[in-house]
Amino acid sequence: VGLQVVADASIAEIESTKSVSEVYSPVSGRVVEVNPSLDDAPEQLNTDPYGTGWIFAVELADPAELDRLMDAAAYRALVT
């Protein structure tokens, strides 16, 4: 909490038994909250990414950055 982040920059890493993956911030701003429940149940990232599996919340530096992001349906169409 309090970390200043820049859109498209790495903010964290996720480790599994087989790999490490970078997590990138979709927007610029300041981290105002992190999800403590992931410490005990990291599988939420896979089982409920739009609900309990969120990673962090950012207070936007520039709300106009939201205009370049995809919604869930557009992202799903891109990756399927």
Side-chain angles (χ1 to χ4, degrees), residues 2-79:
L3 179 69
Q4 295 292 324
V5 295
V6 177
D8 303 321
S10 177
I11 183 175
E13 293 179 341
I14 295 178
E15 294 184 31
S16 72
T17 56
K18 295 182 181 184
S19 68
V20 176
S21 299
E22 297 285 330
V23 176
Y24 297 91
S25 180
V27 293
S28 299
R30 183 175 62 89
V31 175
V32 294
E33 190 175 5
V34 295
N35 187 351
S37 71
L38 294 179
D39 290 339
D40 295 325
E43 66 276 3
Q44 294 173 99
L45 287 169
N46 294 324
T47 60
D48 193 15
Y50 296 109
T52 60
W54 62 276
I55 301 171
F56 59 92
V58 174
E59 182 179 83
L60 295 168
D62 179 6
E65 285 184 341
L66 293 177
D67 295 338
R68 68 177 184 81
L69 299 179
M70 290 183 266
D71 62 12
Y75 182 75
R76 194 173 298 113
L78 177 72
V79 297

